[in-house]
Amino acid sequence: MKIAIYPGTFDPITNGHIDIIQRATALFDKVIVAVATNPQKKPLFTAEERMDMIVHVMRNYPQVEIDQIEGLLVDYAKKRNAHAVIRGLRAISDFEFELQMALVNRKLSEQLITVFLMPHESYSYLNSSIVKELAMFGGNIKCFVPDYVVQQLRKKIK
Ligand code: ADP
């Protein structure tokens, strides 16, 4: 069984993330979406809220599991018997940081392979911060996130 981990902050999950998860399910038997509790980022949503949104929007994908990740990715991958880490590459600007992460992770665990997937071009400019900013100023975010996430954002910002 081929298992991949897709780690991220997902604050909140966007259509870009969903695009990547869907592509990953075509390659792996199981995709674990791992919600990171990154101390450097100050998320708008709690880890539980972020997980709840992913559970809700991915409920029709039996291959997808949602979990929380606290420590090192390589340790988590070993624990879960995962072969690969999935990362999304939107633009050249993602590349430098992603390359650094991939090479450090490879140094820590030679067996763990980082797989980069490109989203549909209509999501290549999308990130969670833009969605939050638009939501705060009353912009239309319906084409960027699922309806459930629109509702949760509205509730949070109120
Ligand atoms: P960010 O890196 O924007 O803070 P996350 O930590 O949630 O967001 O991202 C997790 C992974 O998802 C990263 O590999 C990131 O490049 C990828 N990702 C985020 N938004 C998109 C998108 N619109 N299209 C494709 N991949 C994306």
Side-chain angles (χ1 to χ4, degrees):
M1 176 139 156
K2 292 277 181 210
I3 302 174
I5 298 171
Y6 180 35
T9 316
F10 305 104
D11 186 42
I13 188 167
T14 68
N15 291 343
H17 293 124
I18 295 168
D19 177 296
I20 296 294
I21 298 170
Q22 285 168 336
R23 288 176 205 279
T25 59
L27 295 173
F28 294 92
D29 301 305
K30 188 195 268 192
V31 177
I32 303 170
V33 181
V35 177
T37 46
N38 187 341
Q40 280 166 5
K41 290 189 180 177
K42 283 216 171 68
L44 176 67
F45 292 98
T46 66
E48 287 69 30
E49 289 166 338
R50 285 179 274 146
M51 287 175 73
D52 166 72
M53 285 183 272
I54 305 170
V55 167
H56 194 276
V57 301
M58 300 312 300
R59 65 192 181 283
N60 293 327
Y61 289 81
Q63 278 163 278
V64 177
E65 186 188 314
I66 293 92
D67 198 3
Q68 196 168 331
I69 179 170
E70 268 155 11
L72 273 182
L73 180 61
V74 290
D75 294 337
Y76 180 76
K78 256 181 222 146
K79 196 174 91 188
R80 299 303 311 265
N81 286 320
H83 303 80
V85 175
I86 304 289
R87 295 292 288 176
L89 269 190
R90 286 160 288 194
I92 305 284
S93 50
D94 277 341
F95 182 76
E96 209 168 317
F97 174 70
E98 293 295 342
L99 177 70
Q100 184 185 24
M101 292 270 291
L103 294 181
V104 168
N105 282 333
R106 188 194 279 167
K107 197 88 187 160
L108 296 175
S109 172
E110 186 69 42
Q111 300 93 315
L112 189 64
I113 297 170
T114 301
V115 176
F116 292 109
L117 296 173
M118 270 67 77
H120 188 272
E121 60 267 24
S122 53
Y123 302 133
S124 61
Y125 57 89
L126 184 58
N127 65 23
S128 301
S129 307
I130 289 278
V131 170
K132 283 182 280 190
E133 220 161 284
L134 276 173
M136 273 172 207
F137 295 110
N140 189 354
I141 52 170
K142 279 200 174 131
C143 47
F144 301 135
V145 291
D147 287 346
Y148 185 71
V149 176
V150 175
Q151 288 162 22
Q152 302 311 307
L153 269 164
R154 283 200 186 129
K155 257 195 241 166
K156 184 61 104 182
I157 285 161
K158 233 194 244 172

